[in-house]
Amino acid sequence: MAEGFAADVDVVGWDLPGHGTSPSPTADELEGLTVGDLADAVLGVVERVQERRGDVGAPFWYAGVSVGGAVGQRLLLDAPDRVSGAALICTATWFGEAAGWHERADLVRRAGTPTQVEAAARRWFGPGFLDREPQVGLRLLASLQTADRFGYAAVCRAVSDHDLRGRLGAVAAPVVAIAGSDDPATPPDKLEEIADAVPGARLVVLDGAAHLAPAERPQVVAQLVRDLVAGRVTA
């Protein structure tokens, strides 16, 4: 999806600890990791980019999926003067009981992220997507398989403590909440809760998409982000 913006805007991407191009984190870096810590780290990345450009402190637009959407919620609340608006995609104000996340974290710490690939394939993609776009799906699943197990486990524990229910009414920036109709991890009612809580927010449900909507519907999601930036957000 990000490639569609490269011609006319600066896109700054980030990876979770030990995921993608992010280096394997140290034990000290992972100790007590929270979604708020991830939001602070994102601000640090943005500021380093802005230092090179000479516009430190300038507001920016944000888009995030799943845990990235949780980070976006924290940015909207904790740094309201920095975030112009946000696309919150396949995410939630609360991801469920902590016990399940702790169990997943413990399993991954012991046996690694390959234990999560089969279940992720069912959660991440809507019916038929892996048959239609095998290269896209397999690339994403491979990135999960090679993720650092301790980084993944720490993110699970951070997600277990994420709970912003009842707080998003304080958000003043424009928001679009994007759901996949077939997302078992963060179903449409989770995004509806966000849209209902944020004044003036828009809810969009993408038919047939699951948890990684930007991979399944890249052009549609990119246009929704463009509409947000252009001020075409209507609840």
Side-chain angles (χ1 to χ4, degrees):
M1 184 191 81
E3 291 83 353
F5 296 97
D8 53 358
V9 298
D10 290 330
V11 178
V12 179
W14 63 279
D15 286 315
L16 292 166
H19 294 60
T21 60
S22 177
S24 296
T26 66
D28 288 343
E29 290 171 329
L30 296 178
E31 183 66 30
L33 183 74
T34 67
V35 173
D37 293 333
L38 295 173
D40 289 342
V42 169
L43 279 177
V45 170
V46 171
E47 287 171 358
R48 288 194 293 274
V49 172
Q50 290 180 336
E51 284 175 0
R52 294 196 295 269
R53 292 173 26 153
D55 61 351
V56 174
F60 58 91
W61 296 86
Y62 181 87
V65 185
S66 192
V67 180
V71 169
Q73 294 169 54
R74 288 301 305 257
L75 288 169
L76 287 163
L77 289 170
D78 298 346
D81 58 327
R82 300 300 310 280
V83 185
S84 298
L88 304 177
I89 308 166
C90 299
T91 189
T93 59
W94 178 67
F95 289 97
E97 297 294 340
W101 289 103
H102 290 175
E103 289 173 6
R104 189 191 298 191
D106 291 343
L107 173 61
V108 169
R109 283 177 64 89
R110 292 195 311 271
T113 53
T115 60
Q116 302 303 303
V117 172
E118 182 178 350
R122 295 192 298 267
R123 289 194 307 269
W124 286 3
F125 310 114
F129 179 79
L130 287 175
D131 294 328
R132 295 191 305 273
E133 300 283 352
Q135 291 183 330
V136 174
L138 293 176
R139 185 173 67 248
L140 290 165
L141 291 169
S143 71
L144 170 61
Q145 182 156 331
T146 58
D148 178 82
R149 58 177 171 153
F150 299 108
Y152 185 96
V155 171
C156 287
R157 291 189 174 274
V159 167
S160 76
D161 289 333
H162 171 73
D163 189 351
L164 296 179
R165 289 175 292 180
R167 293 188 54 189
L168 295 185
V171 173
V175 165
V176 59
I178 304 172
S181 66
D182 296 345
D183 182 359
T186 55
D189 63 294
K190 294 286 189 180
L191 282 300
E192 184 177 12
E193 178 185 351
I194 292 172
D196 287 346
V198 177
R202 178 187 180 190
L203 171 66
V204 178
V205 179
L206 302 181
D207 187 45
H211 193 54
L212 293 190
E216 297 179 276
R217 302 285 192 278
Q219 294 179 337
V220 174
V221 174
Q223 186 58 54
L224 290 168
V225 175
R226 286 186 179 279
D227 289 344
L228 175 72
V229 174
R232 296 188 293 267
V233 172
T234 304

